[in-house]
Amino acid sequence: MHLRMFEIARDFLHRTTNCNVVAGLMSPVHDKYGKEGLVTASDRVQMLRLALNSSAWVHVSEWETQQDDWTPTREVVQYHQTMIQATVRSAGSSSSSSSSAGVPQQGREVIDSVVNGNTDPNVKRQRGEGNAPWLTHLSTSADQVSVKLLCGADLLESFAKPGLWKDEDIEALVGKFGLVVVTREGSNPYKFIYESDVLTRHQRNIHIVTEWIANEISSTKVRRALRRGDSVKYLVQDTVIDYIYKNALFDTHNKHGE
């Protein structure tokens, strides 16, 4: 379902706005996020790579998984926005950069400064992702690229849960970057936006995408089926199923997958 969201969102933005979607990024959460049943980041990254093998425009970013701890969503989005800006700026100013990563060292230093809010070399900074393959996808662009957070209506509604999100993070995600929200059966994002002062103030920066082809597939149900030894064929790509059973993920020991 998450992969399908990218296609739905791109179609919507191309049809209803002046946006030209140049790339999609999937950023797996850090191992220290603390979610029960979360398999290792290396396994999740590899499964995503297999799942996205047929996509020419959706990519995996490992940066979030490579940090020392869990990183708030706002900082993840900010990092990628800054990295993209540095890449595009480099492409526009020079076509003969000596950096094999596509982002010059100066660009990486700017990213460190913006993400961490300082330029002190003695302060520990977050690790960069200078060799990210997805950057080469954008290195030839001379246009400004803006990052938006793609999410389901359930994430939008989670903004109202006390203590889950910082007010300043919600403000930045909606006001500075913007959201693309894919609806789900039974959700009413318009009503939720109306009931929130912050979301109403920035509603021009929130794109609501209606999913007309209902899809109730959930990762929770897929994992449950795997634990029980049930087939998940046609719900998950064959290459991903093979990887899951080969590495005995999701309690699939001594079970046969199809």
Side-chain angles (χ1 to χ4, degrees):
M1 177 58 185
H2 289 116
L3 303 184
R4 177 65 184 157
M5 287 170 63
F6 281 90
E7 298 293 330
I8 298 168
R10 182 173 67 165
D11 286 346
F12 175 87
L13 292 172
H14 284 175
R15 184 173 59 250
T16 64
T17 74
N18 293 324
C19 294
N20 177 32
V21 179
V22 294
L25 287 177
M26 299 196 76
S27 178
V29 74
H30 195 277
D31 284 338
K32 292 184 179 180
Y33 179 62
K35 183 177 181 179
E36 184 178 358
L38 193 68
V39 299
T40 66
S42 60
D43 282 326
R44 286 181 282 119
V45 167
Q46 184 57 32
M47 286 188 287
L48 273 177
R49 291 196 188 285
L50 292 171
L52 291 170
N53 189 51
S54 63
S55 177
W57 69 282
V58 182
H59 309 273
V60 182
S61 169
E62 296 185 59
W63 177 82
E64 186 175 354
T65 68
Q66 295 171 344
Q67 304 313 301
D68 293 330
D69 206 338
W70 170 77
T71 306
T73 302
R74 177 188 61 79
E75 294 182 28
V76 176
V77 176
Q78 177 65 74
Y79 168 81
H80 289 94
Q81 177 67 78
T82 309
M83 177 68 86
I84 290 170
Q85 285 178 336
T87 302
V88 172
R89 184 166 57 248
S90 174
S93 62
S94 174
S95 59
S96 59
S97 172
S98 60
S99 172
S100 61
V103 181
Q105 181 62 36
Q106 180 181 7
R108 286 194 288 271
E109 291 173 352
V110 169
I111 290 162
D112 280 339
S113 300
V114 172
V115 171
N116 294 280
N118 70 80
T119 55
D120 185 349
N122 297 316
V123 176
K124 183 178 180 181
R125 294 181 176 139
Q126 293 165 306
R127 299 169 183 168
E129 193 186 18
N131 293 315
W134 56 268
L135 281 173
T136 61
H137 186 78
L138 301 171
S139 61
T140 58
S141 175
D143 299 323
Q144 180 177 347
V145 179
S146 298
V147 175
K148 294 186 181 298
L149 177 63
L150 173 63
C151 63
D154 53 341
L155 186 141
L156 180 73
E157 294 170 358
S158 74
F159 286 165
K161 293 183 180 179
L164 186 60
W165 295 86
K166 293 181 179 179
D167 291 342
E168 57 267 31
D169 285 359
I170 297 175
E171 184 75 34
L173 287 171
V174 184
K176 180 179 180 180
F177 300 107
L179 306 178
V180 181
V181 183
V182 178
T183 62
R184 292 187 176 182
E185 193 72 26
S187 66
N188 189 346
Y190 293 104
K191 181 175 183 292
F192 187 78
I193 291 171
Y194 168 76
E195 294 175 345
S196 166
D197 290 342
V198 173
L199 298 183
T200 297
R201 186 165 62 252
H202 298 296
Q203 60 183 328
R204 291 181 180 273
N205 217 17
I206 304 175
H207 301 279
I208 305 297
V209 185
T210 301
E211 168 57 295
W212 295 111
I213 304 175
N215 186 339
E216 295 303 316
I217 297 174
S218 74
S219 56
T220 299
K221 292 179 180 178
V222 171
R223 289 193 298 269
R224 182 182 299 135
L226 287 166
R227 287 197 307 270
R228 295 175 178 177
D230 295 337
S231 173
V232 295
K233 191 174 180 65
Y234 306 121
L235 296 176
V236 179
Q237 290 89 337
D238 288 347
T239 53
V240 177
I241 295 175
D242 291 342
Y243 183 90
I244 289 171
Y245 279 92
K246 179 180 179 180
N247 293 277
L249 305 179
F250 308 115
D251 297 325
T252 54
H253 301 277
N254 301 318
K255 298 184 177 73
H256 300 285
E258 290 191 37

